[in-house]
Amino acid sequence: PTRRSSDLQILLENGEKCWISLTGKTVIDPNGKRAYIIGKINNINEEKIRENRLIKKAEQDSLTHVYNAETCRLKIIESLQAFKSGQLGALLVIDVDTFKIVNDQFGHLQGDKALIHIGEILLKETTLSGICGRLGGDEFLLYRDDLKDQAELEGICQRISDTVKRYYLNDDYHLTVSVGAALFDSSV
């Protein structure tokens, strides 16, 4: 007898999604032909929810909730492997200027809030497509694989810089970032 098992996500009548495990065993008759299948369905929704929470926790930076450096690397590699001819991509490295001063003058709590804010800005830039993460300390990464041209990349860099500048730590001090960007196509 052949036994197979699959995890599936199904749509319930009330519109909610639910994970099930479907296990089936094919019973063969004396002539060697399939006679029938014996099956079992288990609700594994809670197990999958716990599993997905653990995966998300392992992939994310605990402070900013963007991807951590290793997850960024793996997801970018995956994206690059699917890169098509004619496609334009960009890799941006964002560094918070004078971040040590932020921590020293305003305290680590304010520094953490600033990093969280930058993470939120970058997440907005990847709402439709892209990957963002925290490389460590005050360095972030943004990857996009859906750009039209260099002007779009320049616009993204300017938008990030301008949005970060609007974050004031007091009346006189606002954040700034340095953004390094590389535009590439499928020939790379």
Side-chain angles (χ1 to χ4, degrees):
T2 306
R3 171 172 276 181
R4 295 190 183 213
S5 182
S6 294
D7 293 349
L8 307 166
Q9 192 172 37
I10 61 171
L11 189 61
L12 303 175
E13 286 182 4
N14 65 4
E16 292 181 19
K17 293 179 181 177
C18 180
W19 282 96
I20 62 166
S21 175
L22 181 60
T23 305
K25 179 179 171 183
T26 304
V27 178
I28 308 296
D29 69 16
N31 299 322
K33 295 188 178 184
R34 288 181 251 172
Y36 54 91
I37 297 174
I38 297 174
K40 179 180 172 185
I41 299 173
N42 287 322
N43 183 335
I44 58 167
N45 202 53
E46 291 302 317
E47 179 184 325
K48 282 288 189 179
I49 289 171
R50 276 192 303 277
E51 180 183 323
N52 289 336
R53 267 194 216 126
L54 286 173
I55 290 169
K56 190 173 183 178
K57 191 173 183 179
E59 291 180 339
Q60 286 186 338
D61 174 70
S62 60
L63 177 66
T64 61
H65 302 293
V66 298
Y67 287 127
N68 60 37
E70 178 63 11
T71 303
C72 265
R73 188 182 72 76
L74 294 172
K75 291 197 173 284
I76 290 170
I77 288 170
E78 185 180 307
S79 176
L80 288 171
Q81 288 171 343
F83 216 70
K84 295 178 178 75
S85 179
Q87 196 172 350
L88 275 180
L91 186 65
L92 290 74
V93 176
I94 299 101
D95 183 73
V96 182
D97 298 329
T98 61
F99 190 68
K100 184 178 176 353
I101 292 171
V102 172
N103 275 336
D104 290 349
Q105 285 188 4
F106 300 99
H108 289 275
L109 183 60
Q110 285 301 319
D112 287 352
K113 286 180 182 180
L115 294 174
I116 291 167
H117 180 69
I118 291 169
E120 290 168 351
I121 291 168
L122 298 179
L123 280 171
K124 286 178 186 170
E125 288 294 333
T126 60
T127 302
L128 299 176
S129 156
I131 298 164
C132 70
R134 185 173 173 204
L135 297 176
D138 63 343
E139 292 182 333
F140 292 83
L141 176 139
L142 181 83
Y143 167 84
R144 293 281 300 266
D145 63 2
D146 63 342
L147 299 181
K148 290 183 262 270
D149 53 28
Q150 182 175 334
E152 185 177 7
L153 174 58
E154 290 170 0
I156 291 168
C157 293
Q158 191 63 54
R159 193 166 46 247
I160 290 169
S161 181
D162 291 347
T163 307
V164 168
K165 278 182 191 170
R166 289 195 289 271
Y167 186 81
Y168 279 84
L169 292 154
N170 67 19
D171 291 339
D172 299 319
Y173 196 92
H174 61 86
L175 287 179
T176 59
V177 291
S178 297
V179 181
L183 183 68
F184 57 89
D185 61 20
S186 59
S187 67
V188 174

